[in-house]
Amino acid sequence: MGRLVLYAGRSNPDLAEEIASRLEMRLSKATIEPFPDGETRVRLEESVRGTDVFIIQSTCPPANRNVMELLLMIDAARRASAQRITAVIPYYGYARQEKKLTGRVPISAKLVANLIEAAGADRILTIDLHAPAIEGFFDIPVDHLRSAPLMADYLRDFLPPNSVVVSPDVGGVKRANRFRHFLGKEASLAVIFKERPEEPGSPEILGMVGDVEGKTAVIVDDIIATGETILRAAELLAERGAQAIYACAIHPVLVPGVVEKLNNSPIEKLVVTNTIPIPPEKQSDKIEVVSMASLLATAILYIHKGLSMTTLFKEVEEKWRAERQPA
Ligand code: R5P
């Protein structure tokens, strides 16, 4: 495989720089700018001929701009004779439109996958897809990293042994249980049941299975966007007598207004990752960010060297276990 080359779109410059610095490399220079008519113009300023190119771009808001940038950068790399192109997509946008909930709607997550493949990507590296089945929307290899070990590591110190991990909906039970496993405490699991309307809008909470009274609860979800899911779950937990409430959302989409609601909520801390940057106006003392740079950098190196990703996952788990062995 040719030389490793890193490029980044404009979606998440800090994460891209951090990945490059972990790899003791620099990002190759790209020009990405709007044409006067609003179209995007891309030029890769350094040669990629015969190289192993990684293009880092979250397809977070502004999603359409960021998807288009990614597609144009992949196309540019392919036409400039890159040997292999990996799209590193820490947050895969459009993932919540992955099935038809009603008639005459697209399956947007599949369309975006088709576009990325058609542009010329050879493989995908991503973190916690909203629905793991999205891996199958691609006919190229997808390396799907999980943030649970790093998130659980971060939250462990805040959580007493009698904690309860809460999934805010049935679809998130596996994710919450994986988090519980990595927490390594005698934590229990609770699940909130909700019903989503067919049209976009507030889901109705139907009930909860599990006991939270007098316990520290940690809500585990993949995304916080409007905050409806996590904030309503937190209200329910407070009503049911939870002693302290934490929340963990992997991808901080954070639409305008949600941080104010978070600040006025019973949630003590919201732990997120840096798959999506948080601009200064959305920062809060309640939000803690866990970096995914080292995980992504290691995965990039493994892919480049042709090492087994299963080995990487095992190594992460073994390291985690070793650190928890009594001396
Ligand atoms: C739903 O299925 C997802 O896992 C998240 O719970 C949801 O997307 C969060 O969005 P919001 O913050 O707008 O409720």
Side-chain angles (χ1 to χ4, degrees):
M1 190 50 64
R3 175 173 66 87
L4 198 165
V5 167
L6 290 178
Y7 272 99
R10 291 179 297 176
S11 65
N12 199 336
D14 291 349
L15 175 61
E17 286 290 352
E18 209 184 321
I19 293 171
S21 114
R22 296 261 173 189
L23 289 167
E24 298 181 353
M25 292 180 62
R26 61 172 186 82
L27 294 169
S28 294
K29 199 169 156 16
T31 298
I32 308 169
E33 58 190 15
F35 268 133
D37 62 1
E39 292 176 0
T40 304
R41 187 181 85 92
V42 161
R43 180 176 144 88
L44 307 181
E45 300 291 354
E46 297 176 42
S47 170
V48 292
R49 185 173 296 274
T51 63
D52 190 18
V53 181
F54 291 77
I55 300 172
I56 304 164
Q57 176 81 325
S58 276
T59 50
C60 54
N64 296 347
R65 184 202 79 172
N66 289 337
V67 168
M68 198 62 205
E69 248 177 54
L70 175 64
L71 298 174
L72 294 172
M73 292 181 84
I74 294 170
D75 188 69
R78 183 172 56 88
R79 290 175 194 280
S81 307
Q83 186 179 1
R84 180 174 68 178
I85 303 165
T86 301
V88 181
I89 312 174
Y91 170 69
Y92 185 81
Y94 279 104
R96 291 184 291 173
Q97 298 182 55
E98 90 289 18
K99 53 181 175 266
K100 290 183 75 169
L101 290 175
T102 180
R104 298 186 299 281
V105 294
I107 302 182
S108 313
K110 169 67 177 145
L111 176 64
V112 171
N114 288 350
L115 292 171
I116 292 169
E117 258 191 77
D122 296 298
R123 54 190 309 138
I124 305 293
L125 173 61
T126 189
I127 299 181
D128 287 296
L129 289 166
H130 170 64
I134 294 171
E135 281 178 36
F137 290 4
F138 291 91
D139 286 323
I140 52 177
V142 176
D143 290 307
H144 187 184
L145 306 176
R146 313 296 168 137
S147 59
L150 297 171
M151 300 287 262
D153 254 355
Y154 183 85
L155 263 169
R156 188 171 301 107
D157 294 342
F158 295 99
L159 304 177
N162 73 334
S163 302
V164 51
V165 176
V166 182
S167 173
D169 54 33
V170 176
V173 173
K174 262 192 160 172
R175 181 183 306 117
N177 199 36
R178 185 179 307 116
F179 179 87
R180 190 177 73 92
H181 162 76
F182 281 108
L183 209 52
K185 303 205 175 202
E186 303 291 294
S188 55
L189 188 68
V191 183
I192 294 175
F193 293 84
K194 66 182 189 188
E195 193 169 54
R196 252 191 202 283
E198 279 191 358
E199 298 300 322
S202 295
E204 187 196 344
I205 289 190
L206 303 174
M208 179 171 71
V209 171
D211 179 23
V212 298
E213 197 175 344
K215 295 183 177 178
T216 296
V218 51
I219 306 162
V220 173
D221 206 353
D222 60 332
I223 295 170
I224 179 163
T226 65
E228 276 282 320
T229 307
I230 283 183
L231 296 171
R232 291 185 62 197
E235 280 165 21
L236 180 72
L237 297 175
E239 270 168 40
R240 298 278 175 100
Q243 193 188 47
I245 303 168
Y246 292 88
C248 172
I250 299 157
H251 306 294
V253 174
L254 297 175
V255 305
V258 64
V259 176
E260 290 71 20
K261 290 185 199 159
L262 171 73
N263 288 340
N264 296 320
S265 79
I267 294 173
E268 300 202 7
K269 282 260 175 259
L270 169 70
V271 182
V272 298
T273 74
N274 58 349
T275 57
I276 301 175
I278 303 182
E281 69 277 12
K282 289 187 186 168
Q283 284 167 14
S284 155
D285 288 345
K286 285 196 176 189
I287 301 180
E288 301 289 342
V289 181
V290 177
S291 178
M292 294 292 115
S294 127
L295 181 65
L296 285 164
T298 310
I300 288 172
L301 210 57
Y302 268 60
I303 293 169
H304 176 63
K305 291 186 169 172
L307 299 173
S308 149
M309 291 299 272
T310 313
T311 315
L312 169 63
F313 301 140
K314 278 204 184 118
E315 270 178 19
V316 170
E317 191 150 347
E318 272 160 22
K319 182 167 172 276
W320 174 83
R321 281 188 203 293
E323 280 168 4
R324 255 136 227 99
Q325 289 291 329

